[in-house]
Amino acid sequence: MAAAVAPRDAAGRPTRDIVRSVGGDTLDAHDPRWSLERRVVKWVLHQVTGKCEVQRILDGEAWHSVRMSRALSKSLQLSKQLKNVHETIYVEVNAGFSIDSVTTNVIDLKMIESEAARLRHLRMCLVDLRKANTFLTELERSRHVKFDASEPSHADLLERLWKGLLPGEKAPVKTDWKRVGFQGADPSSDFRGMGLLGLEALAHFVERNQDAARLIMNLYEELGFAITGINLAGFTLRMFETRQLDHIFFAAPESLHKPKPNSSAKETANLLEGYDDGSDAAAADDVRKDLHDRAVAIFAEQFGHYVREFFSRQWRTSDRNIMHFGIHLATFEARVRSRLFRN
């Protein structure tokens, strides 16, 4: 099986390209912006309430919630009137966009009255969206880190993967790596498409789900657990890139690393954003590590759900022909994407 399968849709287009276009202006047929029903419902509600969709979302609950952020995110993605806001948040995936600037743009373009509770809700939703962008940026950064067996932290991850799948076994020699599903004697060649993120997801999943991981590896050895996992890690990242999983980021706990009580407002903001202005380099490093660990943990948790679903609902009921793996992965991806866009 190839190290990096590129699933394609019925028209022969790589599905990764299609999913990436979600940030732009070329969503596929699952895109609800093309739904006549949605447009009609929006028009009727506007006539009845006298409020635009954004205002209805912000006024819909007494307190801000993940549900509110999720609804606003969907509205911003589909709004033609707020195209510049859409580009700032979703196309550029800007982890440092100005909440004040975006708030002003939304209020002005939608001609919404600047009521205190409404503004507070809008700003809190934008904080959630910036958090999602920060996590996505960190995941992309990890994906572009090349696996290096001479790097102790990389070697440690690989060792943890081995021990999780084959506990009690002696340290592997080159030819042993095929036993856990790598394609050849050098595992590093299989990580080309997903970089370090693929290994981090695999190690995280195996350590927390050892019985399930070993069962999958033994039941479906025709695929190769490791290389299939790397492909599914790529699939998982594509699903996050649709922005239909942002609510997982919204619900993520705040950083465990807090600014010092006497920190200035600028130092506090820089620390929580993960930036280092030289005021406290050690604290900034802690925040960066915390951000990375949380981003990988969130990603790996969703990756684990998709691993189980792919093997139990897609591969188990298929012809289990490894030559058809790309087709089955594309079918699985289409089903999951359809489900995401319906929610």
Side-chain angles (χ1 to χ4, degrees):
M1 183 174 61
V5 175
R8 296 176 177 269
D9 72 347
R13 299 172 297 178
T15 54
R16 184 177 181 86
D17 294 340
I18 299 170
V19 175
R20 282 188 182 279
S21 71
V22 171
D25 196 42
T26 54
L27 290 164
D28 70 4
H30 296 306
D31 175 15
R33 95 166 61 172
W34 308 118
S35 167
L36 176 62
E37 179 183 0
R38 182 179 187 276
R39 292 199 296 269
V40 170
V41 169
K42 280 183 62 179
W43 182 85
V44 170
L45 288 175
H46 196 176
Q47 298 304 309
V48 171
T49 66
K51 299 179 179 180
C52 68
E53 183 177 53
V54 170
Q55 188 173 346
R56 292 196 303 272
I57 292 168
L58 298 176
D59 294 350
E61 300 180 49
W63 305 100
H64 170 263
S65 65
V66 169
R67 180 171 56 187
M68 182 183 292
S69 290
R70 190 177 186 183
L72 182 69
S73 176
K74 182 176 181 180
S75 181
L76 294 180
Q77 289 182 69
L78 302 177
S79 174
K80 295 180 180 179
Q81 192 176 6
L82 297 175
K83 187 174 181 180
N84 64 329
V85 173
H86 172 274
E87 290 177 351
T88 297
I89 298 174
Y90 301 104
V91 177
E92 299 173 11
V93 192
N94 185 355
F97 69 82
S98 168
I99 290 178
D100 289 339
S101 177
V102 173
T103 297
T104 300
N105 284 340
V106 172
I107 293 297
D108 290 348
L109 291 171
K110 285 295 186 180
M111 294 182 289
I112 300 172
E113 186 176 343
S114 302
E115 192 268 333
R118 188 178 300 141
L119 284 175
R120 183 172 64 252
H121 287 169
L122 176 56
R123 290 180 63 85
M124 294 177 77
C125 289
L126 293 175
V127 168
D128 277 346
L129 287 170
R130 195 163 66 175
K131 182 199 292 187
N133 280 8
T134 300
F135 280 128
L136 280 172
T137 300
E138 186 61 30
L139 292 176
E140 279 292 341
R141 183 179 294 114
S142 185
R143 184 175 75 85
H144 285 98
V145 174
K146 183 179 179 180
F147 174 78
D148 181 0
S150 65
E151 170 62 41
S153 62
H154 296 193
D156 178 65
L157 281 169
L158 199 57
E159 183 179 354
R160 284 158 52 190
L161 175 63
W162 174 271
K163 289 181 177 179
L165 292 171
L166 297 172
E169 296 266 353
K170 64 179 182 179
V173 295
K174 283 189 174 182
T175 55
D176 287 335
W177 287 114
K178 291 184 179 181
R179 294 178 58 193
V180 294
F182 287 103
Q183 294 185 111
D186 182 10
S188 62
S189 62
D190 288 342
F191 291 117
R192 283 192 297 261
M194 283 300 294
L196 189 63
L197 182 60
L199 177 55
E200 289 175 314
L202 276 170
H204 190 284
F205 172 71
V206 168
E207 287 186 326
R208 287 158 179 77
N209 306 272
Q210 287 191 359
D211 291 341
R214 292 174 201 153
L215 182 64
I216 290 171
M217 181 180 70
N218 293 324
L219 281 179
Y220 307 106
E221 60 181 345
E222 70 273 6
L223 276 184
F225 178 80
I227 187 59
T228 302
I230 293 169
N231 275 282
L232 289 173
F235 160 82
T236 303
L237 185 59
R238 293 194 294 274
M239 295 305 97
F240 273 106
E241 287 172 343
T242 68
R243 305 308 297 262
Q244 302 307 305
L245 293 175
D246 274 5
H247 60 282
I248 299 176
F249 294 135
F250 299 161
E254 294 301 322
S255 172
L256 297 177
H257 299 285
K258 303 298 182 183
K260 296 176 181 178
N262 60 347
S263 296
S264 68
K266 181 181 179 181
E267 289 171 341
T268 298
N270 285 342
L271 184 59
L272 294 178
E273 291 288 345
Y275 300 140
D276 177 15
D277 62 358
S279 60
D280 194 337
D285 287 342
D286 285 343
V287 170
R288 287 195 191 91
K289 184 180 185 307
D290 176 79
L291 170 64
H292 177 80
D293 290 347
R294 287 190 296 143
V296 170
I298 293 168
F299 178 83
E301 186 70 21
Q302 190 64 28
F303 164 76
H305 293 319
Y306 287 144
V307 167
R308 292 186 186 90
E309 184 178 355
F310 175 78
F311 280 105
S312 64
R313 298 186 180 181
Q314 183 68 41
W315 190 254
R316 184 176 63 86
T317 59
S318 73
D319 57 8
R320 294 178 63 165
N321 184 336
I322 61 172
M323 300 302 295
H324 298 160
F325 174 77
I327 296 173
H328 292 303
L329 182 58
T331 300
F332 179 63
E333 180 162 336
R335 184 169 71 242
V336 172
R337 292 178 66 242
S338 176
R339 184 174 69 213
L340 289 176
F341 283 105
R342 286 199 306 269
N343 293 336

